[in-house]
Amino acid sequence: MNPSSSGWIEKYGSVVQKHQDAFPNFEALYGTLKKSGFVYGLNSSIPEFIELEHSLSEDEKAKINLLHALYFTYRIKGGDDYNIFIERVFEFYGILNISRSGFFDKWFTGSKTSAKLEKLMTSRIYIEDNIISKTFNSLITNSLLFIDVLLFKHFLNDHTALKEKAEEIEYLAINIAYHALSSKEIDRKDNKLSQLLASSLTYISCSENSFDGSYRERLLNNKENWENRYLLDMACLTVWEDHSLDYTESDFIFGIGKDLGFEKTIISTSITDVTEFFKLNMDVIPYLKEKNLAKQFYDSMGKIVKKLILRNSKRLHKELSQSAELVALLSKSTMRDLNNEEKKKVQNQLLDIFKSIPSLAIFILPGGAILLPIFIKLIPKLLPSAFDENRIDEEEDLYRK
């Protein structure tokens, strides 16, 4: 399954049919989403039953985890028709007025609801709808996506005032994060985290809200268990991101937990869970990586190039196997330096191969490296290999029917 190419929502629907009873209740689902990092806004893994041919970027993991969380929230509520689920999710986002499709997106969106939902969910994943800024910015993924799951749960329970509920959860989440940071000595990583959370806000604005501690009164009035569990986990995430928890921070966490109505055992478990997550995933947590702008740019481009080559590896192998002279010259280059004529032959034959593989042909254009993220945004089909990873097999289709 390739979440950067069209058809991935339909593909997930065909795959998940064999795992309908994976989560008997929301607690089981929530626990799994915490282990994957989705609850924390830091996606380190995806559901185990999804088989992948290539490794995924964080934004691709976020797409899969968001759809996965929404679907099983729907399943736990009693829903069993995947097509109805897609319609319900599309209706849900319509009520929230979530639609930031760019000008070019309208050209490439199909008429099916699943195709429209793919574009809509992509707009939810990214903090900004700016192609170039994403290339330079390693913090591209919305860190508050789990709020969508809580709101969808609210929506399925036929609760009204969905937008007001969205504003309330975001208000409490950002205030808790702010005061969690205030309970400790602020460093550069803390500032990165606070910027990431603030940038991920959808329904409220930081500039229009005061952080004076009055939010604690509103916590006492919030009786939704899973909303409160999420807020507690966000508080733990904020104080634990530097792998330390001093006496002052501990008092803050247990004070928040008490306001949310939880016993000490649940609060301690929340701290333990986030600690284990950091131990397992320290190396892949984006906002902890200190990089300058140039380093971020080259890392981002390097990941894109690596992804393209990996996903076209079968076609590259096929093209190379049909070019005996090129293979011979490449073999020679490992033993000695090629002369100018040989280098020219290698260059020309590689360009021919790139022309035969559309996604790699971008490199032959003037400024191809800079244009690459734009092409990827406009034509996601550039990313897959020669084989369509979102193709639904006959067996899967029959199982689904």
Side-chain angles (χ1 to χ4, degrees), residues 282-301:
M282 180 64 183
D283 294 337
V284 297
I285 297 175
Y287 70 77
L288 292 181
K289 298 176 181 177
E290 297 288 346
K291 298 177 184 177
N292 59 36
L293 189 62
K295 177 68 172 171
Q296 287 185 30
F297 173 74
Y298 285 113
D299 280 0
S300 297
M301 291 307 301

Side-chain angles (χ1 to χ4, degrees), residues 95-111:
I95 293 172
L96 290 173
N97 197 27
I98 303 278
S99 181
R100 295 190 296 240
S101 297
F103 175 72
F104 290 104
D105 285 334
K106 296 176 182 178
W107 292 3
F108 296 100
T109 302
S111 58

Side-chain angles (χ1 to χ4, degrees), residues 238-257:
T238 309
V239 298
W240 260 107
E241 59 82 31
D242 60 357
H243 289 247
S244 65
L245 184 66
D246 63 22
Y247 178 76
T248 305
E249 295 163 3
S250 179
D251 280 351
F252 172 81
I253 291 297
F254 279 93
I256 286 290

Side-chain angles (χ1 to χ4, degrees), residues 376-393:
I376 289 171
K377 171 70 175 177
L378 299 184
I379 313 175
K381 274 289 186 182
L382 291 174
L383 283 175
S385 64
F387 304 92
D388 185 359
E389 295 165 88
N390 292 332
R391 181 175 61 86
I392 299 175
D393 297 331

Side-chain angles (χ1 to χ4, degrees), residues 41 107 117 156 176 187 241 258 264 287 350 372:
W107 292 3
L117 185 59
L156 292 176
I176 285 176
D187 62 21
E241 59 82 31
K258 183 178 179 181
K264 288 185 178 180
Y287 70 77
L350 283 176
L372 189 59

Side-chain angles (χ1 to χ4, degrees), residues 131-386:
I131 303 163
I132 301 300
S133 68
K134 287 176 193 172
T135 307
F136 285 93
N137 188 357
S138 62
L139 305 178
I140 61 172
T141 305
N142 187 334
S143 64
L144 298 175
L145 285 173
F146 187 74
I147 291 178
D148 286 21
V149 180
L150 295 172
L151 291 173
F152 188 57
K153 191 172 185 292
H154 186 81
F155 167 76
L156 292 176
N157 287 329
D158 296 323
H159 291 162
T160 57
L162 196 61
K163 288 185 179 180
E164 289 78 1
K165 172 59 72 173
E167 292 172 2
E168 179 72 4
I169 298 175
E170 277 200 349
Y171 170 82
L172 293 174
I174 197 65
N175 270 272
I176 285 176
Y178 178 86
H179 278 89
L181 291 174
S182 299
S183 72
K184 59 193 291 189
E185 184 178 347
I186 305 297
D187 62 21
R188 291 179 63 188
K189 292 176 182 177
D190 290 329
N191 287 331
K192 273 192 169 186
L193 175 58
S194 60
Q195 290 168 11
L196 177 58
L197 293 174
S199 298
S200 297
L201 293 173
T202 302
Y203 310 106
I204 67 170
S205 169
C206 276
S207 60
E208 298 174 0
N209 288 272
S210 58
F211 300 94
D212 55 7
S214 60
Y215 76 96
R216 298 288 284 263
E217 297 177 10
R218 291 166 72 167
L219 282 183
L220 296 171
N221 296 322
N222 192 32
K223 304 301 181 183
E224 294 290 336
N225 177 65
W226 291 109
E227 291 173 19
N228 289 346
R229 285 280 291 273
Y230 169 69
L231 294 172
L232 176 62
D233 285 328
M234 288 301 291
C236 292
L237 169 71
T238 309
V239 298
W240 260 107
E241 59 82 31
D242 60 357
H243 289 247
S244 65
L245 184 66
D246 63 22
Y247 178 76
T248 305
E249 295 163 3
S250 179
D251 280 351
F252 172 81
I253 291 297
F254 279 93
I256 286 290
K258 183 178 179 181
D259 286 351
L260 291 168
F262 295 121
E263 298 178 355
K264 288 185 178 180
T265 53
I266 292 179
I267 301 170
S268 297
T269 298
S270 186
I271 294 173
T272 300
D273 289 345
V274 78
T275 303
E276 290 301 315
F277 178 79
F278 269 92
K279 286 181 179 179
L280 291 172
N281 301 286
M282 180 64 183
D283 294 337
V284 297
I285 297 175
Y287 70 77
L288 292 181
K289 298 176 181 177
E290 297 288 346
K291 298 177 184 177
N292 59 36
L293 189 62
K295 177 68 172 171
Q296 287 185 30
F297 173 74
Y298 285 113
D299 280 0
S300 297
M301 291 307 301
K303 288 178 182 178
I304 292 171
V305 172
K306 181 180 178 181
K307 184 189 293 185
L308 280 169
I309 291 174
L310 284 174
R311 294 186 179 180
N312 287 279
S313 58
K314 292 180 180 179
R315 293 189 69 177
L316 277 171
H317 183 268
K318 181 180 178 181
E319 294 291 340
L320 285 171
S321 65
Q322 295 174 351
S323 179
E325 184 180 19
L326 175 59
V327 173
L329 288 172
L330 289 175
S331 298
K332 283 184 181 179
S333 69
T334 63
M335 306 296 293
R336 63 171 177 83
D337 291 336
L338 301 178
N339 59 41
N340 290 336
E341 183 181 353
E342 289 171 329
K343 288 179 181 178
K344 189 66 176 177
K345 285 183 179 180
V346 169
Q347 183 182 29
N348 290 337
Q349 292 191 43
L350 283 176
L351 286 176
D352 287 339
I353 289 176
F354 285 173
K355 288 176 185 177
S356 70
I357 303 176
S359 55
L360 295 178
I362 294 170
F363 291 114
I364 71 174
L365 298 174
I370 301 299
L371 291 172
L372 189 59
I374 299 177
F375 277 88
I376 289 171
K377 171 70 175 177
L378 299 184
I379 313 175
K381 274 289 186 182
L382 291 174
L383 283 175
S385 64

